[in-house]
Amino acid sequence: MFNAGYLKVFNEKGWLGKAEVIYAKYEVDYISQQKLPYERYGLNVQAGWTYEGLKPLYLNAYAGLFAGFEKINNGKDTDPLYNATIPEKVQGFTYGISGTAEAEVSIIPTKLSFIANYNQFYDLQSKFSKGNYGIFGGLRYYIN
């Protein structure tokens, strides 16, 4: 999985908002123990709050929605084992809810932080991928 985005701190009360581009590629279970390739890309929008009582460590929590495009079995509508037609759409629009738990360590106060987070996605539309998660790490640079 991969994500990159924009975070906005709304005020001094700890409210946050973020928009991220998301990408995921993994396998999903199908009949007769088949594993089909699954790919999703889209947009994740979340609102959140930060706990600042442990400075320079910040604990952030977010909840929101995602929407995107999914492709199952590389867009082929027959399964690889039996060459049978897959009864559900193998590509199309999908959406769901998402949540994030994040730890942020300030390296340069108000400018640069290291982040580690756990993202959980619950797909409300897909017939193949109902829930998945990602563990991410990276840097956050504040431009304002």
Side-chain angles (χ1 to χ4, degrees), residues 74-130:
N74 300 316
K76 298 175 191 161
D77 61 359
T78 57
D79 73 58
L81 184 60
Y82 301 113
N83 203 32
T85 301
I86 298 172
E88 305 293 340
K89 288 184 353 181
V90 294
Q91 57 186 1
F93 178 75
T94 188
Y95 59 88
I97 58 176
S98 61
T100 303
E102 179 178 82
E104 178 177 354
V105 178
S106 180
I107 299 169
I108 301 171
T110 70
K111 283 295 176 196
L112 186 66
S113 296
F114 173 77
I115 58 170
N117 63 34
Y118 171 86
N119 288 355
Q120 181 71 51
F121 299 93
Y122 294 101
D123 202 310
L124 302 174
Q125 175 68 23
S126 179
K127 301 293 183 189
F128 295 92
S129 177
K130 291 301 178 190

Side-chain angles (χ1 to χ4, degrees), residues 16-123:
L16 308 169
K18 68 178 180 174
E20 301 172 316
V21 175
I22 57 173
Y23 175 77
K25 187 173 184 176
Y26 52 96
E27 292 181 330
V28 293
D29 293 327
Y30 191 58
I31 59 170
S32 300
Q33 298 181 339
Q34 292 182 76
K35 301 278 187 189
L36 300 179
Y38 180 89
E39 192 172 10
R40 176 178 58 225
Y41 49 91
L43 182 65
N44 184 31
V45 178
Q46 296 180 324
W49 185 77
T50 183
Y51 175 70
E52 299 179 351
L54 303 172
K55 289 181 185 179
L57 172 67
Y58 302 92
L59 301 176
N60 307 327
Y62 302 88
L65 303 170
F66 73 89
F69 185 82
E70 71 176 354
K71 184 168 48 169
I72 300 91
N73 198 31
N74 300 316
K76 298 175 191 161
D77 61 359
T78 57
D79 73 58
L81 184 60
Y82 301 113
N83 203 32
T85 301
I86 298 172
E88 305 293 340
K89 288 184 353 181
V90 294
Q91 57 186 1
F93 178 75
T94 188
Y95 59 88
I97 58 176
S98 61
T100 303
E102 179 178 82
E104 178 177 354
V105 178
S106 180
I107 299 169
I108 301 171
T110 70
K111 283 295 176 196
L112 186 66
S113 296
F114 173 77
I115 58 170
N117 63 34
Y118 171 86
N119 288 355
Q120 181 71 51
F121 299 93
Y122 294 101
D123 202 310

